[in-house]
Amino acid sequence: NRLTQIAPEIGALRKLHSLLLKNNEITKIPDNFAHCYRLINLDLDVEKIVYPPAEVVMQGGRATVLWLCDENNVDKTAIEGQPDTDMETKFEAISAQEKAVSVPVLCVDT
């Protein structure tokens, strides 16, 4: 892949969790990326990034989204309560499945 930019429409992907764009020529993350409230994993070639600052992008998706919210005066309340890590997200998904599924257990004594 040799992508040079991220489409501005990415901001419409409110449930985006991971974005893997390594080995591309992306230098700027669009401002409306601030609306990707659930983003946790952001994998880019940080050394090529000029906006937001690489130091921010290195901290991951959530830090990048928060920084873009601050820069663009976007309300951050939608981010509050979102998991901070991928592992936390997986744990919440497993917990929800366990609550939703009841499996009867049959024990047989032989």
Side-chain angles (χ1 to χ4, degrees):
N1 295 336
R2 291 291 168 220
L3 299 175
T4 57
Q5 62 183 351
I6 298 172
E9 294 80 10
I10 197 158
L13 303 176
R14 308 290 168 122
K15 294 183 180 182
L16 182 66
H17 178 269
S18 295
L19 187 60
L20 309 175
L21 293 171
K22 275 270 197 209
N23 302 317
N24 286 291
E25 303 300 320
I26 295 166
T27 59
K28 183 180 186 280
I29 296 173
D31 288 329
N32 63 358
F33 199 75
H35 298 287
C36 298
Y37 300 123
R38 294 187 180 191
L39 186 73
I40 296 171
N41 299 319
L42 178 60
D43 193 11
L44 297 166
D45 295 318
V46 177
E47 64 277 358
K48 297 176 186 174
I49 296 292
V50 295
Y51 181 84
E55 302 81 40
V56 172
V57 178
M58 287 174 55
Q59 295 175 42
R62 186 176 182 116
T64 302
V65 169
L66 288 169
W67 188 90
L68 287 166
C69 284
D70 287 341
E71 285 293 301
N72 296 285
N73 296 318
V74 174
D75 183 13
K76 295 187 284 190
T77 55
I79 298 173
E80 294 172 8
Q82 296 296 326
D84 287 332
T85 64
D86 188 36
M87 188 56 74
E88 191 175 338
T89 301
K90 288 178 183 173
F91 179 75
E92 287 177 359
I94 290 169
S95 294
Q97 288 175 350
E98 288 175 351
K99 290 176 185 173
V101 177
S102 176
V103 179
V105 178
L106 176 63
C107 296
V108 178
D109 213 8
T110 56

